[in-house]
Amino acid sequence: MLWMARTFSMLWRHLACVKLQGCEGGAAVFRKSRAWDCAEWLAPVSLRVYPVLCGGKLPDDLCKLKKLETLHLAANQITRLPADFGQLSALKTLNLSGNQLRAMPTQLCSLRHLDVVDLSRNKIQAIPDEVSGVQAIEINLNQNQISLISVQVSQCPRLKVLRLEENCLELNMLPQSILSDSQISLLAVEGNLFEIKKLQDLDGYDKYMERFTATRKKFV
């Protein structure tokens, strides 16, 4: 086990992306190598943590990685983020898919450079008012348990893509301001509790389609 810990410490020093395999040995290396103690001066740009994290709890020292731009934490049984998670001020891409989150983390509002956040395949039940502070261009909330969406989602300043497929949404729970008064140009809501064609009957749908069409033309 000692040689594994030393090897991991060496890898941490020389690789931008560190992978932890899903086994007890890997988890032990994660704990015993004390790599987080060196986090500030090692300053990786990208970090990928594979299952399993013991107890689904992230180490508080993760928040010392001030230069971290990409963080992959999929399928680690995570139930909450550290209180200081918002200190990851350089973070641009965050993958929290396949965890055990029951609420949308408010710490996301402090990540001013966040471009993409993947919260799919969790147990999130609502999009709260605080979402208006999220700076992301794309938010993926597919395959959660969402039945409530705050109207404040339409106030997200940079949000272009909102994915809400396979949730528990009724059509009347979808704020019309998403269609008429937001920056969202791709709204994915297939697999909810309404027929997708009924979306066309909502006020503001024409404005949404103008944004959708204009965005699609950019990539043709």
Side-chain angles (χ1 to χ4, degrees):
M1 183 62 70
L2 181 59
W3 71 266
M4 291 177 67
R6 288 173 177 171
T7 300
F8 178 64
S9 295
M10 291 175 62
L11 287 172
W12 184 275
R13 286 178 172 82
H14 295 290
L15 294 182
C17 182
V18 178
K19 297 182 179 181
L20 296 186
Q21 301 300 325
C23 61
E24 292 184 3
V29 172
F30 179 84
R31 294 193 303 273
K32 294 184 179 181
S33 65
R34 302 184 63 80
W36 299 112
D37 295 342
C38 309
E40 289 179 286
W41 60 270
L42 292 174
V45 174
S46 177
L47 179 62
R48 183 184 299 269
V49 179
Y50 279 92
V52 70
L53 281 176
C54 294
K57 186 178 184 299
L58 290 170
D60 292 336
D61 283 345
L62 171 67
C63 304
K64 295 179 180 179
L65 304 180
K66 300 298 178 63
K67 295 184 179 181
L68 195 64
E69 296 181 2
T70 302
L71 180 57
H72 295 278
L73 294 168
N76 276 294
Q77 301 297 313
I78 295 167
T79 57
R80 61 183 177 84
L81 299 182
D84 293 333
F85 195 83
Q87 293 183 9
L88 297 173
S89 55
L91 201 61
K92 295 180 180 180
T93 301
L94 174 61
N95 186 349
L96 282 163
S97 64
N99 282 291
Q100 299 294 318
L101 296 171
R102 293 186 176 274
M104 194 168 178
T106 57
Q107 294 94 323
L108 300 180
C109 299
S110 300
L111 303 174
R112 311 313 293 176
H113 297 286
L114 189 64
D115 290 330
V116 178
V117 56
D118 188 348
L119 293 163
S120 62
R121 295 184 292 113
N122 277 276
K123 297 181 179 180
I124 297 170
Q125 299 177 4
I127 299 179
D129 290 343
E130 290 83 356
V131 70
S132 62
V134 177
Q135 298 291 316
I137 297 171
E138 177 174 342
I139 300 176
N140 187 343
L141 285 159
N142 289 345
Q143 296 180 321
N144 275 277
Q145 301 170 6
I146 296 171
S147 59
L148 295 172
I149 302 178
S150 169
V151 68
Q152 293 299 316
V153 72
S154 62
Q155 301 302 311
C156 292
R158 298 200 303 151
L159 186 59
K160 303 291 186 183
V161 178
L162 179 59
R163 302 186 185 277
L164 291 165
E165 295 178 323
E166 298 182 43
N167 276 281
C168 303
L169 282 170
E170 299 278 1
L171 186 60
N172 61 357
M173 290 292 103
L174 190 67
Q176 293 185 6
S177 60
I178 292 178
L179 302 175
S180 60
D181 300 317
S182 75
Q183 301 294 319
I184 297 170
S185 56
L186 176 58
L187 176 65
V189 290
E190 291 80 0
N192 280 281
L193 304 179
F194 58 88
E195 295 181 21
I196 197 68
K197 64 181 181 180
K198 292 186 177 181
L199 193 66
Q200 302 174 18
D201 299 330
L202 296 181
D203 291 340
Y205 183 78
D206 290 343
K207 289 185 177 180
Y208 163 70
M209 284 305 299
E210 289 176 4
R211 298 193 303 272
F212 175 81
T213 302
T215 299
R216 186 173 60 180
K217 286 181 178 178
K218 292 179 182 179
F219 297 98
V220 173

